[in-house]
Amino acid sequence: MTRSICQLEHNSCEYNGLCVPTDDRIDLKGFTCFCQEDHSGERCERKINRIDIRVNEEIRSRTSLLLIHFITAFDRSEHERGTLLKKVAYDQKMITVYIAQPFHLLFVQIPKQDYYLTIFREKLTYSSYIQTEIQSKKRCFPMNQLLNDTVRQYEYFQRVKYYPLLCRKNI
């Protein structure tokens, strides 16, 4: 009788990952690891980004759901974006998010309302522990609030050329 790779003395998955063997009829040495929340990789070998976000009373009074948007920017290719939905428990003031991919920007959105820039970093990091909070001074204003009536009436591509000017004016 042969034993699958997951039944050997040492688990093929690291950091308490769950090893699930491939069907023995297909491959005796094949397996898949299901990692704990704070690890990723083929064998759960990589610790991932952990972010603790403090949610103040004003935001908790408006919603219990938050959308977490993270963006990775590239010079010569399209940016990557991911989104997570997190529920803020009634008695909690903090949410914890685990993100496997490295990122440059993290926005928190109150659904159908406001966006807040929560993290900005220049270098990509696969594994870090970040503590932050949602701050009203980091609220992102809708473009319609920043544009005057004349510019707002322009076609989309005409309006876009004014965006850098807005950024310089409203640092």
Side-chain angles (χ1 to χ4, degrees), residues 84-98:
L84 300 170
L85 176 65
K86 291 296 279 189
K87 181 167 178 50
V88 182
Y90 173 74
D91 59 342
Q92 297 294 309
K93 296 180 181 181
M94 180 114 38
I95 58 172
T96 299
V97 179
Y98 292 97

Side-chain angles (χ1 to χ4, degrees), residues 26-78:
I26 297 170
D27 183 5
L28 285 174
K29 295 184 180 178
F31 64 94
T32 301
C33 289
F34 290 94
C35 305
Q36 297 290 323
E37 189 174 38
D38 58 345
H39 283 81
S40 69
E42 195 172 299
R43 294 179 181 259
C44 305
E45 71 279 2
R46 188 170 51 242
K47 189 161 183 65
I48 63 175
N49 291 298
R50 174 185 170 167
I51 303 160
D52 289 338
I53 303 171
R54 191 171 324 120
V55 183
N56 64 32
E57 182 61 38
E58 182 238 330
I59 290 175
R60 285 195 324 266
S61 69
R62 291 167 58 193
T63 185
S64 64
L65 294 175
L66 296 173
L67 289 165
I68 313 296
H69 304 283
F70 48 97
I71 300 168
T72 307
F74 298 103
D75 289 334
R76 292 183 172 76
S77 63
E78 196 168 314

